[in-house]
Amino acid sequence: MSEPKDLCPKVGKSFELIGKRWTGLIIYVLLGGPKRFSEIHSTIPDLSKRVLTERMKELEEHGIVVRHVIPERPIRTEYLLTKKGTELGKILGPISGWAEEWIKD
């Protein structure tokens, strides 16, 4: 594969976003469907609540995740991938197959 002369700024920004610690894993978890904050946190126990909050806000700002408030008693909030997030997830999803084959415990 040849080296690109100039990287597109969009490519750089996308790698910066998904390269942040936990971001790819959060997206991967949300590929399974809408999740509450506590469900995401319990699925990724090493992820602190503070960092999860930061990452969810970043993903919302980038239009990858949407926060959905369910007006029941008590009020519940779920996070789900947008179309943009689902498309990104299609690219990140196969990493699990690669990891199963190549990453040692």
Side-chain angles (χ1 to χ4, degrees):
M1 182 161 69
S2 64
E3 295 262 340
K5 290 184 180 183
D6 296 312
L7 278 177
C8 170
K10 291 180 181 182
V11 172
K13 286 182 181 182
S14 65
F15 275 92
E16 183 180 322
L17 174 66
I18 62 173
K20 284 189 173 180
R21 187 154 190 209
W22 305 113
T23 300
L25 198 53
I26 292 167
I27 294 168
Y28 182 76
V29 167
L30 289 173
L31 282 172
K35 302 275 187 292
R36 294 173 57 191
F37 185 93
S38 60
E39 292 174 302
I40 299 168
H41 186 257
S42 66
T43 304
I44 313 170
D46 291 338
L47 171 58
S48 73
K49 289 182 179 180
R50 181 186 62 78
V51 173
L52 178 55
T53 300
E54 289 174 11
R55 294 298 179 266
M56 296 310 290
K57 285 180 182 177
E58 291 170 351
L59 291 170
E60 281 185 86
E61 289 171 5
H62 287 283
I64 293 169
V65 168
V66 66
R67 183 176 176 262
H68 181 244
V69 177
I70 300 167
E72 296 176 346
R73 294 265 185 236
I75 293 177
R76 295 183 315 144
T77 303
E78 289 184 334
Y79 294 89
L80 58 144
L81 294 174
T82 62
K83 182 175 179 4
K84 182 178 180 180
T86 301
E87 290 297 313
L88 178 57
K90 288 178 185 177
I91 297 165
L92 296 177
I95 292 174
S96 66
W98 176 87
E100 288 294 325
E101 184 172 341
W102 295 100
I103 300 297
K104 305 293 182 215
D105 287 335

